[in-house]
Amino acid sequence: MKDWVKKNTKKKKPLEISNWDKLVGNKFDVMGASFFISDTSHASNLYTAWVHPLDSSEAFARVSLFSDSMDMQVKVLPPVKYDSMIPYELTSTITKNHISNPSIFIQTIAEALLSDPITRDILSYVSREQDSVRFKSGGASSSSGLSGSSGNNLW
């Protein structure tokens, strides 16, 4: 009985994502707002990615993935000119499938952002701001959509 308990209560080894840095530079759109992943980091079981609006040095969100529990935390940092400057967090538990390649993980981030009505309002604000800049510059909107390749496995 002791052996069975010992064998079946072993601590699970946290998932290691060897190519986390492949997320850097990926662009994606959510509700008409364009974003890119500017930076990533990894320490122990914590993987972090910073999301910025396109053509902005101001961070929009910090995505943290805790590989031991597969909890994903998205800390939304509203833009400076937005009504409320209070950062807040969205959390969810994801599976190994959500991080099977950069495109799927980026879609997971987008779905997390869309899951909250306050975040959707902020996304609309960012989209309007970007449209305003595009309109003033006379440039056409260049939607990059999701980038990344299913061949870029994260682990």
PDB file of all heavy atoms in Angstrom, residues 1-12:
ATOM      1  N   MET A   1       0.827  -1.197   0.000  1.00  0.00           N
ATOM      2  CA  MET A   1       0.000   0.000   0.000  1.00  0.00           C
ATOM      3  C   MET A   1       0.871   1.260   0.000  1.00  0.00           C
ATOM      4  O   MET A   1       0.606   2.173  -0.755  1.00  0.00           O
ATOM      5  CB  MET A   1      -0.941  -0.044   1.219  1.00  0.00           C
ATOM      6  CG  MET A   1      -1.832   1.150   1.321  1.00  0.00           C
ATOM      7  SD  MET A   1      -3.088   1.070   0.031  1.00  0.00           S
ATOM      8  CE  MET A   1      -4.141   2.345   0.526  1.00  0.00           C
ATOM      9  N   LYS A   2       1.937   1.294   0.840  1.00  0.00           N
ATOM     10  CA  LYS A   2       2.812   2.458   0.892  1.00  0.00           C
ATOM     11  C   LYS A   2       3.443   2.731  -0.458  1.00  0.00           C
ATOM     12  O   LYS A   2       3.540   3.873  -0.882  1.00  0.00           O
ATOM     13  CB  LYS A   2       3.917   2.263   1.928  1.00  0.00           C
ATOM     14  CG  LYS A   2       3.510   2.560   3.333  1.00  0.00           C
ATOM     15  CD  LYS A   2       4.757   2.544   4.183  1.00  0.00           C
ATOM     16  CE  LYS A   2       4.451   2.065   5.573  1.00  0.00           C
ATOM     17  NZ  LYS A   2       5.645   1.991   6.389  1.00  0.00           N
ATOM     18  N   ASP A   3       3.895   1.679  -1.134  1.00  0.00           N
ATOM     19  CA  ASP A   3       4.516   1.833  -2.441  1.00  0.00           C
ATOM     20  C   ASP A   3       3.535   2.403  -3.452  1.00  0.00           C
ATOM     21  O   ASP A   3       3.887   3.254  -4.269  1.00  0.00           O
ATOM     22  CB  ASP A   3       5.063   0.498  -2.946  1.00  0.00           C
ATOM     23  CG  ASP A   3       6.267   0.039  -2.137  1.00  0.00           C
ATOM     24  OD1 ASP A   3       6.949   0.912  -1.554  1.00  0.00           O
ATOM     25  OD2 ASP A   3       6.503  -1.178  -2.092  1.00  0.00           O
ATOM     26  N   TRP A   4       2.293   1.925  -3.416  1.00  0.00           N
ATOM     27  CA  TRP A   4       1.278   2.432  -4.334  1.00  0.00           C
ATOM     28  C   TRP A   4       1.035   3.913  -4.094  1.00  0.00           C
ATOM     29  O   TRP A   4       0.965   4.696  -5.044  1.00  0.00           O
ATOM     30  CB  TRP A   4      -0.019   1.641  -4.155  1.00  0.00           C
ATOM     31  CG  TRP A   4      -1.073   2.093  -5.134  1.00  0.00           C
ATOM     32  CD1 TRP A   4      -1.260   1.621  -6.389  1.00  0.00           C
ATOM     33  CD2 TRP A   4      -2.058   3.101  -4.929  1.00  0.00           C
ATOM     34  NE1 TRP A   4      -2.292   2.277  -6.991  1.00  0.00           N
ATOM     35  CE2 TRP A   4      -2.809   3.205  -6.106  1.00  0.00           C
ATOM     36  CE3 TRP A   4      -2.389   3.937  -3.865  1.00  0.00           C
ATOM     37  CZ2 TRP A   4      -3.862   4.094  -6.264  1.00  0.00           C
ATOM     38  CZ3 TRP A   4      -3.434   4.830  -4.021  1.00  0.00           C
ATOM     39  CH2 TRP A   4      -4.151   4.900  -5.203  1.00  0.00           C
ATOM     40  N   VAL A   5       0.918   4.332  -2.835  1.00  0.00           N
ATOM     41  CA  VAL A   5       0.703   5.738  -2.499  1.00  0.00           C
ATOM     42  C   VAL A   5       1.886   6.575  -2.976  1.00  0.00           C
ATOM     43  O   VAL A   5       1.716   7.626  -3.597  1.00  0.00           O
ATOM     44  CB  VAL A   5       0.473   5.923  -0.969  1.00  0.00           C
ATOM     45  CG1 VAL A   5       0.477   7.390  -0.605  1.00  0.00           C
ATOM     46  CG2 VAL A   5      -0.824   5.251  -0.548  1.00  0.00           C
ATOM     47  N   LYS A   6       3.101   6.115  -2.711  1.00  0.00           N
ATOM     48  CA  LYS A   6       4.299   6.829  -3.112  1.00  0.00           C
ATOM     49  C   LYS A   6       4.354   6.972  -4.638  1.00  0.00           C
ATOM     50  O   LYS A   6       4.622   8.037  -5.168  1.00  0.00           O
ATOM     51  CB  LYS A   6       5.541   6.083  -2.608  1.00  0.00           C
ATOM     52  CG  LYS A   6       6.748   6.968  -2.404  1.00  0.00           C
ATOM     53  CD  LYS A   6       7.936   6.143  -1.992  1.00  0.00           C
ATOM     54  CE  LYS A   6       8.179   6.269  -0.510  1.00  0.00           C
ATOM     55  NZ  LYS A   6       9.451   5.623  -0.122  1.00  0.00           N
ATOM     56  N   LYS A   7       4.061   5.888  -5.330  1.00  0.00           N
ATOM     57  CA  LYS A   7       4.112   5.864  -6.790  1.00  0.00           C
ATOM     58  C   LYS A   7       3.066   6.790  -7.404  1.00  0.00           C
ATOM     59  O   LYS A   7       3.322   7.489  -8.373  1.00  0.00           O
ATOM     60  CB  LYS A   7       3.893   4.432  -7.280  1.00  0.00           C
ATOM     61  CG  LYS A   7       3.917   4.277  -8.770  1.00  0.00           C
ATOM     62  CD  LYS A   7       3.679   2.828  -9.134  1.00  0.00           C
ATOM     63  CE  LYS A   7       3.459   2.679 -10.621  1.00  0.00           C
ATOM     64  NZ  LYS A   7       3.076   1.326 -10.964  1.00  0.00           N
ATOM     65  N   ASN A   8       1.874   6.826  -6.839  1.00  0.00           N
ATOM     66  CA  ASN A   8       0.776   7.595  -7.403  1.00  0.00           C
ATOM     67  C   ASN A   8       0.662   9.018  -6.877  1.00  0.00           C
ATOM     68  O   ASN A   8      -0.222   9.747  -7.296  1.00  0.00           O
ATOM     69  CB  ASN A   8      -0.543   6.849  -7.193  1.00  0.00           C
ATOM     70  CG  ASN A   8      -0.588   5.602  -8.034  1.00  0.00           C
ATOM     71  OD1 ASN A   8      -0.311   5.649  -9.224  1.00  0.00           O
ATOM     72  ND2 ASN A   8      -0.910   4.477  -7.415  1.00  0.00           N
ATOM     73  N   THR A   9       1.510   9.416  -5.964  1.00  0.00           N
ATOM     74  CA  THR A   9       1.468  10.787  -5.452  1.00  0.00           C
ATOM     75  C   THR A   9       2.753  11.539  -5.783  1.00  0.00           C
ATOM     76  O   THR A   9       3.048  12.540  -5.168  1.00  0.00           O
ATOM     77  CB  THR A   9       1.223  10.810  -3.927  1.00  0.00           C
ATOM     78  OG1 THR A   9       2.269  10.079  -3.288  1.00  0.00           O
ATOM     79  CG2 THR A   9      -0.126  10.281  -3.576  1.00  0.00           C
ATOM     80  N   LYS A  10       3.502  11.021  -6.732  1.00  0.00           N
ATOM     81  CA  LYS A  10       4.716  11.714  -7.160  1.00  0.00           C
ATOM     82  C   LYS A  10       4.349  13.082  -7.706  1.00  0.00           C
ATOM     83  O   LYS A  10       3.324  13.249  -8.364  1.00  0.00           O
ATOM     84  CB  LYS A  10       5.437  10.929  -8.255  1.00  0.00           C
ATOM     85  CG  LYS A  10       6.223   9.769  -7.749  1.00  0.00           C
ATOM     86  CD  LYS A  10       7.006   9.154  -8.889  1.00  0.00           C
ATOM     87  CE  LYS A  10       7.781   7.963  -8.397  1.00  0.00           C
ATOM     88  NZ  LYS A  10       8.490   7.299  -9.487  1.00  0.00           N
ATOM     89  N   LYS A  11       5.210  14.038  -7.442  1.00  0.00           N
ATOM     90  CA  LYS A  11       4.985  15.381  -7.941  1.00  0.00           C
ATOM     91  C   LYS A  11       5.217  15.397  -9.443  1.00  0.00           C
ATOM     92  O   LYS A  11       6.185  14.854  -9.941  1.00  0.00           O
ATOM     93  CB  LYS A  11       5.940  16.357  -7.255  1.00  0.00           C
ATOM     94  CG  LYS A  11       5.418  17.738  -7.202  1.00  0.00           C
ATOM     95  CD  LYS A  11       6.243  18.586  -6.287  1.00  0.00           C
ATOM     96  CE  LYS A  11       5.505  19.879  -6.084  1.00  0.00           C
ATOM     97  NZ  LYS A  11       6.264  20.818  -5.347  1.00  0.00           N
ATOM     98  N   LYS A  12       4.296  16.016 -10.149  1.00  0.00           N
ATOM     99  CA  LYS A  12       4.383  16.117 -11.582  1.00  0.00           C
ATOM    100  C   LYS A  12       5.478  17.099 -11.966  1.00  0.00           C
ATOM    101  O   LYS A  12       5.583  18.183 -11.395  1.00  0.00           O
ATOM    102  CB  LYS A  12       3.046  16.644 -12.111  1.00  0.00           C
ATOM    103  CG  LYS A  12       2.482  15.891 -13.237  1.00  0.00           C
ATOM    104  CD  LYS A  12       1.101  16.416 -13.526  1.00  0.00           C
ATOM    105  CE  LYS A  12       0.893  16.514 -15.002  1.00  0.00           C
ATOM    106  NZ  LYS A  12      -0.422  17.019 -15.321  1.00  0.00           N
TER     107      LYS A  12
END
